[in-house]
Amino acid sequence: GCHPIVPLMLSDAGRANRLAAALLERGVLVVGFSYPVVPRGQARLRVQISAAHTRGDLDFALAAFSAVAGLAAP
């Protein structure tokens, strides 16, 4: 999209928390949101992309997401 905030919808609060913690351990800061901030069952990670991020920054984040992807499985 055209917005700098990209939600990664996970539905499960536990998965959102595990993923956010694992990404932080790898140097990627994302914010997990779950009930009561968002409706129950609509937990998500908030990823914010900036024009200041370099291609290397984005590649680093994508590699971290790939490394922890299994934590998002049900």
Side-chain angles (χ1 to χ4, degrees), residues 5-72:
I5 297 173
V6 180
L8 177 60
M9 305 303 290
L10 297 169
S11 71
D12 181 81
R15 280 189 247 161
N17 290 334
R18 287 192 305 274
L19 207 54
L23 287 164
L24 184 58
E25 287 178 6
R26 288 165 176 77
V28 177
L29 177 62
V30 297
V31 178
F33 288 100
S34 59
Y35 180 83
V37 177
V38 296
R40 196 177 305 273
Q42 293 185 26
R44 63 196 73 182
L45 294 181
R46 175 183 162 176
V47 179
Q48 189 161 347
I49 300 171
S50 164
H53 288 120
T54 66
R55 179 60 189 210
D57 294 332
L58 298 176
D59 289 341
F60 178 84
L62 288 172
F65 271 92
S66 291
V68 303
L71 297 175

